[in-house]
């Protein structure tokens, strides 16, 4: 494995300017998809943890808006550093040689059919002949 995110981790932060874990009833704790679930024994803590194991290779993280894609990537890129207890991302780890490739916002996209990836844009904008001088990361990636 090149990365691990434990079940129950609190990945969202309090705000863009506050790196403390988000608190409250709206917090969704991380839960591994069953197909990526792994388990580790922690003999020094006398406990077992379960979570998502990411294998070496190319991984794809997809989902709708506000589903946690960027939040998960942030936790993974910080997984090379130690965490303080109570951070919410304890045991989120990542191999120091891993890299993140991200589609950037603000790219120009002209006359591209992105219907295989995106079909429902705001204001009824069509996706079969999509153009934008300032595309979002997801539309420029599509």
């Amino acid at each position: 494995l090149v990365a691990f995110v434990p079940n129950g981790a609190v990945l969202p932060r309090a705000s863009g300017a506050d790196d403390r874990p988000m608190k409250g009833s709206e917090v969704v704790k991380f839960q591994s998809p069953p197909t990526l679930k792994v388990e580790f024994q922690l003999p020094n803590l006398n406990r077992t943890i379960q979570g998502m194991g990411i294998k070496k290779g190319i991984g794809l993280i997809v989902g709708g808006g506000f589903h946690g894609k960027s939040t998960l990537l942030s936790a993974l890129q910080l997984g090379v550093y130690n965490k303080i207890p109570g951070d919410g991302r304890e045991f989120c780890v990542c191999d120091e040689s891993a890299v993140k490739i991200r589609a950037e916002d603000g790219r120009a996209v002209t006359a591209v059919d992105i219907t295989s990836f995106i079909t429902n844009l705001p204001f009824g904008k069509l996706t079969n002949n999509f153009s934008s001088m300032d595309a979002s990361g997801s539309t420029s990636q599509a």
Side-chain angles (χ1 to χ4, degrees), residues 47-61:
R47 69 182 263 213
T48 301
I49 59 171
Q50 296 179 339
M52 179 176 68
I54 300 175
K55 296 179 181 178
K56 185 177 181 177
I58 297 173
L60 184 63
I61 299 171

Side-chain angles (χ1 to χ4, degrees), residues 90-139:
E90 300 93 320
F91 304 111
C92 289
V93 294
C94 187
D95 184 278
E96 64 184 18
S97 67
V99 296
K100 176 178 89 171
I101 300 171
R102 180 182 166 146
E104 64 182 325
D105 292 336
R107 293 175 40 177
V109 176
T110 307
V112 178
D113 183 355
I114 59 172
T115 55
S116 296
F117 306 100
I118 300 170
T119 57
N120 189 12
L121 290 175
F123 311 112
K125 190 162 180 133
L126 299 177
T127 57
N128 62 344
N129 190 23
F130 179 77
S131 294
S132 174
M133 293 306 295
D134 187 25
S136 70
S138 58
T139 53

Side-chain angles (χ1 to χ4, degrees), residues 1 3-5 38-43 47-53 93:
L1 297 177
F4 175 77
V5 181
V38 295
E39 181 176 291
F40 292 102
Q41 300 293 324
L42 303 176
R47 69 182 263 213
T48 301
I49 59 171
Q50 296 179 339
M52 179 176 68
V93 294

